[in-house]
Amino acid sequence: SQQGEEDPQALSIQEGENATMNCSYKTSINNLQWYRQNSGRGLVHLILIRSNEREKHSGRLRVTLDTSKKSSSLLITASRAADTASYFCATDSGGSYIPTFGRGTSLIVHP
Amino acid sequence: NAGVMQNPRHLVRRRGQEARLRCSPMKGHSHVYWYRQLPEEGLKFMVYLQKENIIDESGMPKERFSAEFPKEGPSILRIQQVVRGDSAAYFCASSPDRGAYEQYFGPGTRLTVT
């Protein structure tokens, strides 16, 4: 079964707007990661946030983690057409270092 | 520094044939992971290997699928007697050590079974 589930499944916005994607999971985690996948390509690692962290930034990306709600959000500010991709959250828990991926959010940024 | 390399990028096989997918990890990485992705789905873990060892194969189907990572050369994911349901994108990822949670992905091999 999926550990992380992204929401929404699809998001369509205009260039310059902010995009927010959410990820919910069921069991306690060690780490949560966000990846991007461009069409027909492999995944690219964006950010890793540990269970004892609440927020991390990387450029135009901001990730928050709320372990009490078992959820995380990925915010992309001032979106660009090049941000068009699928975004996946992945969690690992217990003694496993192998991330479990959600189904992803498909983001389309219109120029 | 070359990234993770996979070949072939596209592979077409008829039902009953064998498929061999190759993965060369990033330089300096000795840990390899294989995932399968169906259309509109996330990645499903298949197997985790270190040089000459299978560490975790909990996601591998019990039959027809095997994986290896020899001392020399790429990691190979082998699917025998392919069926239409094996059609998917197969991704390989590598990491420098067991405790490194960030994985570096290859471009994938798209397998089509006709």
Side-chain angles (χ1 to χ4, degrees):
Chain A
S1 62
Q2 300 290 130
Q3 165 68 314
E5 288 291 343
E6 294 88 346
D7 173 69
Q9 284 188 319
L11 182 59
S12 180
I13 59 175
Q14 292 295 130
E15 208 164 31
E17 294 180 338
N18 296 340
T20 300
M21 289 157 270
N22 302 296
C23 170
S24 59
Y25 54 91
K26 295 185 175 64
T27 62
S28 295
I29 60 170
N30 300 324
N31 307 282
L32 186 145
Q33 304 180 64
W34 284 92
Y35 285 82
R36 184 187 74 226
Q37 183 180 34
N38 289 86
S39 181
R41 302 286 187 91
L43 275 69
V44 174
H45 183 264
L46 296 176
I47 287 184
L48 179 151
I49 186 165
R50 302 190 190 283
S51 59
N52 61 354
E53 297 175 313
R54 292 296 165 258
E55 187 170 312
K56 281 189 98 165
H57 296 253
S58 177
R60 294 184 294 113
L61 306 181
R62 181 170 79 102
V63 168
T64 60
L65 179 65
D66 186 336
T67 52
S68 67
K69 294 181 180 177
K70 292 186 169 60
S71 69
S72 171
S73 68
L74 169 67
L75 168 68
I76 304 174
T77 59
S79 64
R80 304 167 182 167
D83 295 328
T84 294
S86 291
Y87 292 82
F88 294 90
C89 70
T91 58
D92 64 87
S93 56
S96 176
Y97 33 77
I98 296 172
T100 301
F101 288 83
R103 294 175 188 269
T105 291
S106 175
L107 172 66
I108 297 175
V109 181
H110 299 279
Chain B
N1 184 15
V4 178
M5 300 179 69
Q6 289 187 250
N7 67 81
R9 293 292 307 275
H10 299 273
L11 182 62
V12 179
R13 283 284 178 266
R14 291 197 176 88
R15 277 179 296 171
Q17 291 184 319
E18 178 180 288
R20 280 190 179 229
L21 288 61
R22 293 176 188 77
C23 168
S24 296
M26 281 185 74
K27 188 176 180 181
H29 289 193
S30 59
H31 298 250
V32 165
Y33 312 78
W34 285 94
Y35 295 85
R36 177 164 62 179
Q37 185 179 35
L38 295 169
E40 310 300 325
E41 300 249 340
L43 273 69
K44 293 286 195 319
F45 167 74
M46 298 181 75
V47 61
Y48 162 43
L49 309 104
Q50 206 177 342
K51 282 283 186 182
E52 300 185 275
N53 288 305
I54 295 175
I55 307 300
D56 183 342
E57 55 182 348
S58 58
M60 284 276 271
K62 295 287 185 285
E63 296 176 350
R64 302 188 296 109
F65 285 73
S66 62
E68 62 176 9
F69 190 14
K71 188 175 179 181
E72 302 290 337
S75 175
I76 306 249
L77 178 67
R78 185 178 172 210
I79 311 172
Q80 295 178 294
Q81 300 175 320
V82 296
V83 300
R84 289 234 171 95
D86 296 333
S87 295
Y90 291 84
F91 290 94
C92 160
S94 72
S95 66
D97 57 53
R98 189 183 179 107
Y101 295 99
E102 179 180 342
Q103 298 182 356
Y104 296 81
F105 281 81
T109 293
R110 274 147 191 84
L111 172 66
T112 302
V113 180
T114 61

mmCIF file of all heavy atoms in Angstrom, chain A residues 54-105:
data_model
loop_
_atom_site.group_PDB
_atom_site.id
_atom_site.type_symbol
_atom_site.label_atom_id
_atom_site.label_comp_id
_atom_site.label_asym_id
_atom_site.label_seq_id
_atom_site.Cartn_x
_atom_site.Cartn_y
_atom_site.Cartn_z
ATOM 1 N N ARG A 54 10.730 21.010 10.966
ATOM 2 C CA ARG A 54 9.388 21.508 10.653
ATOM 3 C C ARG A 54 9.332 22.210 9.316
ATOM 4 O O ARG A 54 8.279 22.263 8.687
ATOM 5 C CB ARG A 54 8.916 22.464 11.760
ATOM 6 C CG ARG A 54 8.663 21.772 13.065
ATOM 7 C CD ARG A 54 7.506 20.773 12.941
ATOM 8 N NE ARG A 54 7.470 19.853 14.077
ATOM 9 C CZ ARG A 54 7.922 18.607 14.029
ATOM 10 N NH1 ARG A 54 8.438 18.118 12.909
ATOM 11 N NH2 ARG A 54 7.838 17.825 15.082
ATOM 12 N N GLU A 55 10.454 22.787 8.887
ATOM 13 C CA GLU A 55 10.436 23.549 7.643
ATOM 14 C C GLU A 55 11.835 23.561 7.039
ATOM 15 O O GLU A 55 12.826 23.627 7.773
ATOM 16 C CB GLU A 55 9.980 24.981 7.940
ATOM 17 C CG GLU A 55 9.744 25.841 6.726
ATOM 18 C CD GLU A 55 9.057 27.153 7.084
ATOM 19 O OE1 GLU A 55 8.060 27.126 7.824
ATOM 20 O OE2 GLU A 55 9.522 28.205 6.599
ATOM 21 N N LYS A 56 11.878 23.484 5.709
ATOM 22 C CA LYS A 56 13.154 23.622 5.004
ATOM 23 C C LYS A 56 12.934 24.410 3.732
ATOM 24 O O LYS A 56 11.858 24.333 3.120
ATOM 25 C CB LYS A 56 13.743 22.245 4.673
ATOM 26 C CG LYS A 56 14.420 21.575 5.831
ATOM 27 C CD LYS A 56 15.162 20.335 5.394
ATOM 28 C CE LYS A 56 16.625 20.618 5.195
ATOM 29 N NZ LYS A 56 17.417 19.381 5.118
ATOM 30 N N HIS A 57 13.979 25.144 3.344
ATOM 31 C CA HIS A 57 13.898 25.943 2.135
ATOM 32 C C HIS A 57 15.020 25.556 1.192
ATOM 33 O O HIS A 57 16.115 25.165 1.619
ATOM 34 C CB HIS A 57 14.062 27.431 2.479
ATOM 35 C CG HIS A 57 12.984 27.980 3.342
ATOM 36 N ND1 HIS A 57 12.005 28.827 2.877
ATOM 37 C CD2 HIS A 57 12.725 27.781 4.649
ATOM 38 C CE1 HIS A 57 11.190 29.143 3.870
ATOM 39 N NE2 HIS A 57 11.598 28.526 4.960
ATOM 40 N N SER A 58 14.721 25.666 -0.099
ATOM 41 C CA SER A 58 15.762 25.507 -1.108
ATOM 42 C C SER A 58 15.348 26.331 -2.311
ATOM 43 O O SER A 58 14.457 25.956 -3.074
ATOM 44 C CB SER A 58 15.913 24.025 -1.508
ATOM 45 O OG SER A 58 16.872 23.894 -2.541
ATOM 46 N N GLY A 59 15.978 27.498 -2.467
ATOM 47 C CA GLY A 59 15.609 28.363 -3.576
ATOM 48 C C GLY A 59 14.147 28.763 -3.495
ATOM 49 O O GLY A 59 13.697 29.300 -2.483
ATOM 50 N N ARG A 60 13.378 28.471 -4.535
ATOM 51 C CA ARG A 60 11.943 28.816 -4.552
ATOM 52 C C ARG A 60 11.072 27.746 -3.902
ATOM 53 O O ARG A 60 9.846 27.827 -3.937
ATOM 54 C CB ARG A 60 11.500 29.033 -6.005
ATOM 55 C CG ARG A 60 12.140 30.244 -6.673
ATOM 56 C CD ARG A 60 11.584 30.461 -8.074
ATOM 57 N NE ARG A 60 11.949 29.370 -8.979
ATOM 58 C CZ ARG A 60 11.073 28.509 -9.492
ATOM 59 N NH1 ARG A 60 9.784 28.592 -9.208
ATOM 60 N NH2 ARG A 60 11.480 27.556 -10.310
ATOM 61 N N LEU A 61 11.691 26.741 -3.330
ATOM 62 C CA LEU A 61 10.947 25.639 -2.716
ATOM 63 C C LEU A 61 10.914 25.806 -1.196
ATOM 64 O O LEU A 61 11.910 26.153 -0.576
ATOM 65 C CB LEU A 61 11.601 24.298 -3.049
ATOM 66 C CG LEU A 61 11.843 23.973 -4.516
ATOM 67 C CD1 LEU A 61 12.485 22.593 -4.646
ATOM 68 C CD2 LEU A 61 10.556 24.039 -5.314
ATOM 69 N N ARG A 62 9.725 25.548 -0.642
ATOM 70 C CA ARG A 62 9.597 25.508 0.807
ATOM 71 C C ARG A 62 8.816 24.255 1.174
ATOM 72 O O ARG A 62 7.730 24.022 0.643
ATOM 73 C CB ARG A 62 8.873 26.741 1.330
ATOM 74 C CG ARG A 62 8.750 26.755 2.859
ATOM 75 C CD ARG A 62 8.241 28.098 3.356
ATOM 76 N NE ARG A 62 6.797 28.241 3.189
ATOM 77 C CZ ARG A 62 5.880 28.111 4.150
ATOM 78 N NH1 ARG A 62 6.283 27.816 5.377
ATOM 79 N NH2 ARG A 62 4.610 28.281 3.908
ATOM 80 N N VAL A 63 9.378 23.479 2.067
ATOM 81 C CA VAL A 63 8.733 22.241 2.513
ATOM 82 C C VAL A 63 8.443 22.367 3.996
ATOM 83 O O VAL A 63 9.289 22.808 4.767
ATOM 84 C CB VAL A 63 9.633 21.015 2.259
ATOM 85 C CG1 VAL A 63 9.095 19.787 2.985
ATOM 86 C CG2 VAL A 63 9.729 20.728 0.770
ATOM 87 N N THR A 64 7.234 21.997 4.377
ATOM 88 C CA THR A 64 6.875 21.943 5.793
ATOM 89 C C THR A 64 6.495 20.514 6.150
ATOM 90 O O THR A 64 6.066 19.729 5.292
ATOM 91 C CB THR A 64 5.704 22.882 6.109
ATOM 92 O OG1 THR A 64 4.572 22.481 5.327
ATOM 93 C CG2 THR A 64 6.056 24.327 5.791
ATOM 94 N N LEU A 65 6.653 20.201 7.411
ATOM 95 C CA LEU A 65 6.306 18.874 7.906
ATOM 96 C C LEU A 65 5.552 19.020 9.213
ATOM 97 O O LEU A 65 6.027 19.698 10.128
ATOM 98 C CB LEU A 65 7.562 18.031 8.109
ATOM 99 C CG LEU A 65 7.347 16.615 8.659
ATOM 100 C CD1 LEU A 65 6.559 15.760 7.674
ATOM 101 C CD2 LEU A 65 8.686 15.959 8.987
ATOM 102 N N ASP A 66 4.389 18.419 9.298
ATOM 103 C CA ASP A 66 3.587 18.416 10.522
ATOM 104 C C ASP A 66 3.393 16.954 10.923
ATOM 105 O O ASP A 66 2.518 16.270 10.395
ATOM 106 C CB ASP A 66 2.244 19.113 10.273
ATOM 107 C CG ASP A 66 1.437 19.277 11.545
ATOM 108 O OD1 ASP A 66 1.643 18.498 12.506
ATOM 109 O OD2 ASP A 66 0.585 20.175 11.597
ATOM 110 N N THR A 67 4.209 16.490 11.851
ATOM 111 C CA THR A 67 4.144 15.069 12.215
ATOM 112 C C THR A 67 2.872 14.748 13.006
ATOM 113 O O THR A 67 2.422 13.602 12.993
ATOM 114 C CB THR A 67 5.380 14.663 13.033
ATOM 115 O OG1 THR A 67 5.529 15.571 14.122
ATOM 116 C CG2 THR A 67 6.627 14.681 12.167
ATOM 117 N N SER A 68 2.281 15.753 13.655
ATOM 118 C CA SER A 68 1.040 15.487 14.399
ATOM 119 C C SER A 68 -0.107 15.204 13.437
ATOM 120 O O SER A 68 -1.011 14.420 13.752
ATOM 121 C CB SER A 68 0.697 16.673 15.293
ATOM 122 O OG SER A 68 0.361 17.811 14.521
ATOM 123 N N LYS A 69 -0.056 15.813 12.276
ATOM 124 C CA LYS A 69 -1.089 15.582 11.256
ATOM 125 C C LYS A 69 -0.629 14.570 10.210
ATOM 126 O O LYS A 69 -1.373 14.258 9.285
ATOM 127 C CB LYS A 69 -1.450 16.893 10.562
ATOM 128 C CG LYS A 69 -2.119 17.910 11.467
ATOM 129 C CD LYS A 69 -2.473 19.175 10.705
ATOM 130 C CE LYS A 69 -3.155 20.180 11.629
ATOM 131 N NZ LYS A 69 -3.445 21.457 10.935
ATOM 132 N N LYS A 70 0.613 14.107 10.343
ATOM 133 C CA LYS A 70 1.184 13.189 9.357
ATOM 134 C C LYS A 70 1.025 13.750 7.946
ATOM 135 O O LYS A 70 0.456 13.104 7.048
ATOM 136 C CB LYS A 70 0.551 11.799 9.467
ATOM 137 C CG LYS A 70 0.896 11.057 10.758
ATOM 138 C CD LYS A 70 0.367 9.631 10.735
ATOM 139 C CE LYS A 70 0.926 8.796 11.872
ATOM 140 N NZ LYS A 70 0.607 9.331 13.200
ATOM 141 N N SER A 71 1.513 14.957 7.786
ATOM 142 C CA SER A 71 1.393 15.578 6.470
ATOM 143 C C SER A 71 2.568 16.509 6.203
ATOM 144 O O SER A 71 3.224 17.005 7.123
ATOM 145 C CB SER A 71 0.075 16.348 6.352
ATOM 146 O OG SER A 71 0.098 17.468 7.190
ATOM 147 N N SER A 72 2.799 16.749 4.919
ATOM 148 C CA SER A 72 3.854 17.650 4.479
ATOM 149 C C SER A 72 3.315 18.450 3.304
ATOM 150 O O SER A 72 2.409 17.998 2.595
ATOM 151 C CB SER A 72 5.086 16.849 4.032
ATOM 152 O OG SER A 72 6.046 17.686 3.408
ATOM 153 N N SER A 73 3.857 19.632 3.115
ATOM 154 C CA SER A 73 3.484 20.405 1.944
ATOM 155 C C SER A 73 4.735 20.894 1.235
ATOM 156 O O SER A 73 5.759 21.147 1.859
ATOM 157 C CB SER A 73 2.590 21.586 2.322
ATOM 158 O OG SER A 73 3.336 22.514 3.073
ATOM 159 N N LEU A 74 4.620 20.992 -0.072
ATOM 160 C CA LEU A 74 5.680 21.542 -0.915
ATOM 161 C C LEU A 74 5.118 22.794 -1.571
ATOM 162 O O LEU A 74 4.100 22.732 -2.269
ATOM 163 C CB LEU A 74 6.116 20.540 -1.975
ATOM 164 C CG LEU A 74 7.037 21.072 -3.083
ATOM 165 C CD1 LEU A 74 8.397 21.471 -2.530
ATOM 166 C CD2 LEU A 74 7.213 20.026 -4.198
ATOM 167 N N LEU A 75 5.757 23.915 -1.342
ATOM 168 C CA LEU A 75 5.353 25.177 -1.941
ATOM 169 C C LEU A 75 6.415 25.603 -2.944
ATOM 170 O O LEU A 75 7.599 25.666 -2.607
ATOM 171 C CB LEU A 75 5.193 26.264 -0.867
ATOM 172 C CG LEU A 75 5.044 27.704 -1.361
ATOM 173 C CD1 LEU A 75 3.719 27.886 -2.091
ATOM 174 C CD2 LEU A 75 5.144 28.687 -0.181
ATOM 175 N N ILE A 76 5.973 25.871 -4.164
ATOM 176 C CA ILE A 76 6.860 26.431 -5.181
ATOM 177 C C ILE A 76 6.399 27.869 -5.411
ATOM 178 O O ILE A 76 5.263 28.103 -5.849
ATOM 179 C CB ILE A 76 6.788 25.644 -6.506
ATOM 180 C CG1 ILE A 76 7.097 24.174 -6.285
ATOM 181 C CG2 ILE A 76 7.759 26.242 -7.531
ATOM 182 C CD1 ILE A 76 6.901 23.304 -7.524
ATOM 183 N N THR A 77 7.252 28.811 -5.108
ATOM 184 C CA THR A 77 6.863 30.218 -5.265
ATOM 185 C C THR A 77 7.264 30.718 -6.651
ATOM 186 O O THR A 77 8.201 30.214 -7.269
ATOM 187 C CB THR A 77 7.541 31.093 -4.201
ATOM 188 O OG1 THR A 77 8.965 30.956 -4.329
ATOM 189 C CG2 THR A 77 7.126 30.671 -2.804
ATOM 190 N N ALA A 78 6.503 31.706 -7.124
ATOM 191 C CA ALA A 78 6.790 32.345 -8.421
ATOM 192 C C ALA A 78 7.069 31.295 -9.486
ATOM 193 O O ALA A 78 8.152 31.243 -10.078
ATOM 194 C CB ALA A 78 7.966 33.306 -8.280
ATOM 195 N N SER A 79 6.095 30.444 -9.725
ATOM 196 C CA SER A 79 6.300 29.292 -10.606
ATOM 197 C C SER A 79 6.677 29.719 -12.025
ATOM 198 O O SER A 79 6.352 30.819 -12.486
ATOM 199 C CB SER A 79 5.040 28.430 -10.642
ATOM 200 O OG SER A 79 3.974 29.156 -11.206
ATOM 201 N N ARG A 80 7.375 28.806 -12.699
ATOM 202 C CA ARG A 80 7.807 29.014 -14.074
ATOM 203 C C ARG A 80 7.314 27.855 -14.929
ATOM 204 O O ARG A 80 7.054 26.768 -14.406
ATOM 205 C CB ARG A 80 9.329 29.064 -14.139
ATOM 206 C CG ARG A 80 9.967 30.106 -13.244
ATOM 207 C CD ARG A 80 11.451 29.914 -13.109
ATOM 208 N NE ARG A 80 12.045 30.888 -12.203
ATOM 209 C CZ ARG A 80 13.282 30.789 -11.725
ATOM 210 N NH1 ARG A 80 14.050 29.768 -12.065
ATOM 211 N NH2 ARG A 80 13.750 31.708 -10.898
ATOM 212 N N ALA A 81 7.241 28.067 -16.216
ATOM 213 C CA ALA A 81 6.804 26.985 -17.110
ATOM 214 C C ALA A 81 7.693 25.751 -16.949
ATOM 215 O O ALA A 81 7.229 24.619 -17.053
ATOM 216 C CB ALA A 81 6.815 27.466 -18.560
ATOM 217 N N ALA A 82 8.968 25.981 -16.649
ATOM 218 C CA ALA A 82 9.911 24.869 -16.492
ATOM 219 C C ALA A 82 9.636 24.039 -15.247
ATOM 220 O O ALA A 82 10.197 22.946 -15.089
ATOM 221 C CB ALA A 82 11.345 25.395 -16.437
ATOM 222 N N ASP A 83 8.778 24.532 -14.350
ATOM 223 C CA ASP A 83 8.409 23.745 -13.165
ATOM 224 C C ASP A 83 7.376 22.676 -13.498
ATOM 225 O O ASP A 83 7.041 21.841 -12.648
ATOM 226 C CB ASP A 83 7.837 24.661 -12.064
ATOM 227 C CG ASP A 83 8.862 25.637 -11.512
ATOM 228 O OD1 ASP A 83 10.059 25.281 -11.469
ATOM 229 O OD2 ASP A 83 8.462 26.765 -11.151
ATOM 230 N N THR A 84 6.843 22.715 -14.719
ATOM 231 C CA THR A 84 5.878 21.700 -15.137
ATOM 232 C C THR A 84 6.501 20.316 -15.017
ATOM 233 O O THR A 84 7.529 20.033 -15.637
ATOM 234 C CB THR A 84 5.427 21.953 -16.585
ATOM 235 O OG1 THR A 84 4.699 23.171 -16.633
ATOM 236 C CG2 THR A 84 4.551 20.817 -17.097
ATOM 237 N N ALA A 85 5.888 19.470 -14.199
ATOM 238 C CA ALA A 85 6.442 18.138 -13.913
ATOM 239 C C ALA A 85 5.490 17.426 -12.962
ATOM 240 O O ALA A 85 4.490 17.996 -12.522
ATOM 241 C CB ALA A 85 7.820 18.260 -13.265
ATOM 242 N N SER A 86 5.811 16.194 -12.634
ATOM 243 C CA SER A 86 5.117 15.482 -11.567
ATOM 244 C C SER A 86 5.983 15.549 -10.317
ATOM 245 O O SER A 86 7.209 15.447 -10.401
ATOM 246 C CB SER A 86 4.858 14.024 -11.948
ATOM 247 O OG SER A 86 3.910 13.945 -12.976
ATOM 248 N N TYR A 87 5.332 15.722 -9.181
ATOM 249 C CA TYR A 87 6.050 15.850 -7.917
ATOM 250 C C TYR A 87 5.609 14.725 -6.988
ATOM 251 O O TYR A 87 4.416 14.488 -6.797
ATOM 252 C CB TYR A 87 5.780 17.220 -7.284
ATOM 253 C CG TYR A 87 6.396 18.338 -8.091
ATOM 254 C CD1 TYR A 87 5.749 18.838 -9.212
ATOM 255 C CD2 TYR A 87 7.638 18.866 -7.750
ATOM 256 C CE1 TYR A 87 6.328 19.836 -9.983
ATOM 257 C CE2 TYR A 87 8.226 19.873 -8.505
ATOM 258 C CZ TYR A 87 7.565 20.353 -9.616
ATOM 259 O OH TYR A 87 8.147 21.331 -10.382
ATOM 260 N N PHE A 88 6.599 14.035 -6.434
ATOM 261 C CA PHE A 88 6.325 12.874 -5.583
ATOM 262 C C PHE A 88 6.899 13.104 -4.193
ATOM 263 O O PHE A 88 7.998 13.638 -4.043
ATOM 264 C CB PHE A 88 6.985 11.618 -6.158
ATOM 265 C CG PHE A 88 6.426 11.172 -7.481
ATOM 266 C CD1 PHE A 88 6.960 11.647 -8.666
ATOM 267 C CD2 PHE A 88 5.375 10.275 -7.531
ATOM 268 C CE1 PHE A 88 6.456 11.234 -9.897
ATOM 269 C CE2 PHE A 88 4.863 9.859 -8.751
ATOM 270 C CZ PHE A 88 5.405 10.344 -9.930
ATOM 271 N N CYS A 89 6.142 12.667 -3.194
ATOM 272 C CA CYS A 89 6.718 12.598 -1.864
ATOM 273 C C CYS A 89 7.086 11.139 -1.595
ATOM 274 O O CYS A 89 6.491 10.217 -2.153
ATOM 275 C CB CYS A 89 5.780 13.134 -0.794
ATOM 276 S SG CYS A 89 4.326 12.119 -0.451
ATOM 277 N N ALA A 90 8.090 10.960 -0.777
ATOM 278 C CA ALA A 90 8.567 9.616 -0.449
ATOM 279 C C ALA A 90 8.947 9.595 1.022
ATOM 280 O O ALA A 90 9.603 10.509 1.507
ATOM 281 C CB ALA A 90 9.767 9.235 -1.320
ATOM 282 N N THR A 91 8.511 8.575 1.718
ATOM 283 C CA THR A 91 8.792 8.466 3.148
ATOM 284 C C THR A 91 9.541 7.179 3.439
ATOM 285 O O THR A 91 9.406 6.181 2.730
ATOM 286 C CB THR A 91 7.488 8.465 3.958
ATOM 287 O OG1 THR A 91 6.661 7.381 3.520
ATOM 288 C CG2 THR A 91 6.723 9.765 3.781
ATOM 289 N N ASP A 92 10.351 7.219 4.497
ATOM 290 C CA ASP A 92 10.941 6.003 5.010
ATOM 291 C C ASP A 92 10.655 5.945 6.502
ATOM 292 O O ASP A 92 10.532 6.977 7.163
ATOM 293 C CB ASP A 92 12.440 5.925 4.725
ATOM 294 C CG ASP A 92 13.230 7.001 5.421
ATOM 295 O OD1 ASP A 92 13.620 6.782 6.585
ATOM 296 O OD2 ASP A 92 13.424 8.076 4.821
ATOM 297 N N SER A 93 10.532 4.744 7.013
ATOM 298 C CA SER A 93 10.144 4.600 8.420
ATOM 299 C C SER A 93 10.799 3.373 9.027
ATOM 300 O O SER A 93 11.315 2.503 8.307
ATOM 301 C CB SER A 93 8.628 4.496 8.535
ATOM 302 O OG SER A 93 8.148 3.429 7.735
ATOM 303 N N GLY A 94 10.779 3.310 10.334
ATOM 304 C CA GLY A 94 11.364 2.180 11.043
ATOM 305 C C GLY A 94 12.836 2.053 10.714
ATOM 306 O O GLY A 94 13.568 3.028 10.639
ATOM 307 N N GLY A 95 13.277 0.838 10.470
ATOM 308 C CA GLY A 95 14.675 0.585 10.143
ATOM 309 C C GLY A 95 14.940 0.595 8.652
ATOM 310 O O GLY A 95 16.058 0.320 8.222
ATOM 311 N N SER A 96 13.924 0.925 7.858
ATOM 312 C CA SER A 96 14.095 0.888 6.405
ATOM 313 C C SER A 96 14.576 2.226 5.890
ATOM 314 O O SER A 96 14.057 3.272 6.257
ATOM 315 C CB SER A 96 12.777 0.526 5.716
ATOM 316 O OG SER A 96 12.930 0.590 4.306
ATOM 317 N N TYR A 97 15.565 2.196 5.054
ATOM 318 C CA TYR A 97 16.128 3.385 4.408
ATOM 319 C C TYR A 97 15.583 3.500 2.982
ATOM 320 O O TYR A 97 16.002 4.335 2.222
ATOM 321 C CB TYR A 97 17.653 3.228 4.357
ATOM 322 C CG TYR A 97 17.991 1.783 4.194
ATOM 323 C CD1 TYR A 97 17.861 1.180 2.939
ATOM 324 C CD2 TYR A 97 18.297 0.999 5.281
ATOM 325 C CE1 TYR A 97 18.061 -0.163 2.791
ATOM 326 C CE2 TYR A 97 18.501 -0.368 5.121
ATOM 327 C CZ TYR A 97 18.385 -0.939 3.884
ATOM 328 O OH TYR A 97 18.566 -2.285 3.743
ATOM 329 N N ILE A 98 14.655 2.603 2.619
ATOM 330 C CA ILE A 98 14.129 2.610 1.257
ATOM 331 C C ILE A 98 12.853 3.433 1.232
ATOM 332 O O ILE A 98 11.887 3.117 1.929
ATOM 333 C CB ILE A 98 13.851 1.174 0.783
ATOM 334 C CG1 ILE A 98 15.171 0.403 0.719
ATOM 335 C CG2 ILE A 98 13.165 1.189 -0.576
ATOM 336 C CD1 ILE A 98 15.005 -1.060 0.463
ATOM 337 N N PRO A 99 12.819 4.506 0.444
ATOM 338 C CA PRO A 99 11.634 5.373 0.441
ATOM 339 C C PRO A 99 10.453 4.719 -0.258
ATOM 340 O O PRO A 99 10.608 3.980 -1.223
ATOM 341 C CB PRO A 99 12.116 6.599 -0.335
ATOM 342 C CG PRO A 99 13.222 6.102 -1.209
ATOM 343 C CD PRO A 99 13.880 4.982 -0.455
ATOM 344 N N THR A 100 9.274 5.004 0.278
ATOM 345 C CA THR A 100 8.021 4.577 -0.342
ATOM 346 C C THR A 100 7.386 5.791 -0.982
ATOM 347 O O THR A 100 7.167 6.796 -0.315
ATOM 348 C CB THR A 100 7.077 3.993 0.717
ATOM 349 O OG1 THR A 100 7.719 2.879 1.359
ATOM 350 C CG2 THR A 100 5.787 3.516 0.075
ATOM 351 N N PHE A 101 7.077 5.673 -2.284
ATOM 352 C CA PHE A 101 6.603 6.818 -3.052
ATOM 353 C C PHE A 101 5.091 6.862 -3.137
ATOM 354 O O PHE A 101 4.420 5.828 -3.212
ATOM 355 C CB PHE A 101 7.179 6.756 -4.476
ATOM 356 C CG PHE A 101 8.640 7.056 -4.551
ATOM 357 C CD1 PHE A 101 9.572 6.062 -4.293
ATOM 358 C CD2 PHE A 101 9.091 8.326 -4.877
ATOM 359 C CE1 PHE A 101 10.931 6.337 -4.358
ATOM 360 C CE2 PHE A 101 10.444 8.603 -4.951
ATOM 361 C CZ PHE A 101 11.368 7.609 -4.687
ATOM 362 N N GLY A 102 4.556 8.087 -3.196
ATOM 363 C CA GLY A 102 3.147 8.290 -3.475
ATOM 364 C C GLY A 102 2.914 8.286 -4.983
ATOM 365 O O GLY A 102 3.833 8.046 -5.773
ATOM 366 N N ARG A 103 1.669 8.556 -5.388
ATOM 367 C CA ARG A 103 1.309 8.546 -6.813
ATOM 368 C C ARG A 103 1.671 9.845 -7.523
ATOM 369 O O ARG A 103 1.673 9.910 -8.741
ATOM 370 C CB ARG A 103 -0.189 8.291 -6.981
ATOM 371 C CG ARG A 103 -0.630 6.913 -6.530
ATOM 372 C CD ARG A 103 -2.140 6.777 -6.615
ATOM 373 N NE ARG A 103 -2.602 5.532 -6.023
ATOM 374 C CZ ARG A 103 -2.756 4.405 -6.696
ATOM 375 N NH1 ARG A 103 -2.506 4.367 -7.984
ATOM 376 N NH2 ARG A 103 -3.171 3.315 -6.090
ATOM 377 N N GLY A 104 1.925 10.885 -6.772
ATOM 378 C CA GLY A 104 2.384 12.121 -7.382
ATOM 379 C C GLY A 104 1.312 13.147 -7.660
ATOM 380 O O GLY A 104 0.124 12.829 -7.765
ATOM 381 N N THR A 105 1.741 14.390 -7.759
ATOM 382 C CA THR A 105 0.899 15.500 -8.213
ATOM 383 C C THR A 105 1.447 15.973 -9.540
ATOM 384 O O THR A 105 2.644 16.256 -9.653
ATOM 385 C CB THR A 105 0.927 16.674 -7.210
ATOM 386 O OG1 THR A 105 0.256 16.300 -6.019
ATOM 387 C CG2 THR A 105 0.242 17.902 -7.795
#
